[in-house]
Amino acid sequence: MADQSNLVVAIDGPAASGKGTLARRLADILNLRYLDTGSLYRATGLSVIRAGGDLKSEQDAVKAAENLDLSTFSAEELRSEEAGVAASHVAFLPSVRAVLLDFQRSVAANPGADFSGAILDGRDIGTVVCRDADAKIFVTAALEVRIKRRLEELKGRGETVIEARVRDDMTARDQRDRDRSVSPLKKADDAWELDTSGMNADEALAEALGHIRGTGPQ
Ligand code: DC
């Protein structure tokens, strides 16, 4: 069980559902250490590409996960579509997930003395990484809404975007995330679902805070 002085919040959901923005803002307000677990898979995928390896090779991907150094990647590199697609390939491999699991659990258990707890976002936080989390939120949004958000995000970063490509990548990634046998994207039975389709970031934040304050240990 989680230590009552250490609030653990699990946020899961598909790509561009709004979970990252929500988790970051909740972390600020509740003084929680934030871990974007997708960035671990993104960095692993990019490391394989950098080393000239094969994204489908378990050996190449495990080696990359074991030697992961997040500081060698810029935020832009990690958020690129290339990184997202590479991540969803390596995330498919059970041995890669096992390597990254220990690190994620250690952050949740020991967020650091300056924090009141930890908030992790990903695909399997409520179902696997932090099964005993104090609050679990499963963030969703309609596919069309998520495609629109991702297009705006990429345009905002000055990337050239082709809508059909973003649509195809997101649909394929959703399918890989949901259909894989190990840690598929899935709402935990005890998670609360927040559909952000018709909400802006402020509205989603208010809903989530209300939920955590109503069910959390504070
Ligand atoms: O949330 P994101 O777009 O940064 O995630 C990138 C990929 O990493 C996504 O396709 C699924 C994978 N992932 C995962 O399998 N488990 C997690 N806890 C986080 C991300």
Side-chain angles (χ1 to χ4, degrees):
M1 274 302 283
D3 172 351
Q4 286 300 288
S5 63
N6 181 38
L7 178 73
V8 176
V9 180
I11 311 268
D12 289 301
S17 56
K19 66 185 188 313
T21 305
L22 177 64
R24 237 181 297 272
R25 294 181 75 185
L26 286 170
D28 280 349
I29 292 170
L30 300 170
N31 186 39
L32 304 175
R33 176 158 169 204
Y34 171 53
L35 181 63
D36 164 10
T37 67
S39 70
L40 306 175
Y41 293 93
R42 286 169 181 266
T44 302
L46 286 179
S47 300
V48 174
I49 294 173
R50 268 190 192 174
D54 175 0
L55 283 171
K56 289 180 184 147
S57 152
E58 195 137 10
Q59 208 185 346
D60 290 355
V62 167
K63 196 167 149 206
E66 282 173 345
N67 296 298
L68 204 59
D69 180 0
L70 285 178
S71 68
T72 64
F73 299 95
S74 67
E76 288 71 34
E77 279 177 299
L78 288 177
R79 293 317 305 167
S80 67
E81 275 303 284
E82 182 192 27
V85 173
S88 77
H89 282 285
V90 296
F92 193 76
L93 303 166
S95 46
V96 169
R97 304 199 70 87
V99 172
L100 299 177
L101 183 61
D102 288 346
F103 174 70
Q104 296 171 74
R105 284 191 173 150
S106 71
V107 169
N110 301 299
D114 295 341
F115 295 103
S116 311
I119 183 164
L120 285 77
D121 83 34
R123 302 292 191 286
D124 62 337
I125 311 302
T127 50
V128 175
V129 180
C130 301
R131 286 201 200 96
D132 292 333
D134 300 288
K136 298 183 183 181
I137 303 178
F138 192 78
V139 186
T140 61
L143 178 65
E144 292 309 316
V145 174
R146 294 192 288 120
I147 290 169
K148 193 160 163 264
R149 285 179 188 160
R150 182 48 53 87
L151 285 169
E152 279 164 13
E153 185 195 335
L154 294 171
K155 278 185 200 152
R157 289 208 306 258
E159 286 193 34
T160 314
V161 289
I162 300 165
E163 180 169 344
R165 170 127 192 258
V166 170
R167 177 182 297 274
D168 287 351
D169 281 353
M170 194 173 291
T171 311
R173 184 142 35 121
D174 278 359
Q175 200 173 346
R176 273 198 297 276
D177 287 348
R178 289 202 165 97
D179 293 351
R180 65 172 178 243
S181 55
V182 180
S183 292
L185 169 65
K186 187 171 164 291
K187 177 183 167 299
D189 291 340
D190 54 350
W192 173 71
E193 184 163 343
L194 176 63
D195 184 343
T196 65
S197 301
M199 291 181 194
N200 62 32
D202 288 344
E203 289 163 341
L205 176 67
E207 290 279 329
L209 267 178
H211 172 74
I212 293 169
R213 290 188 166 136
T215 61
Q218 304 122 318

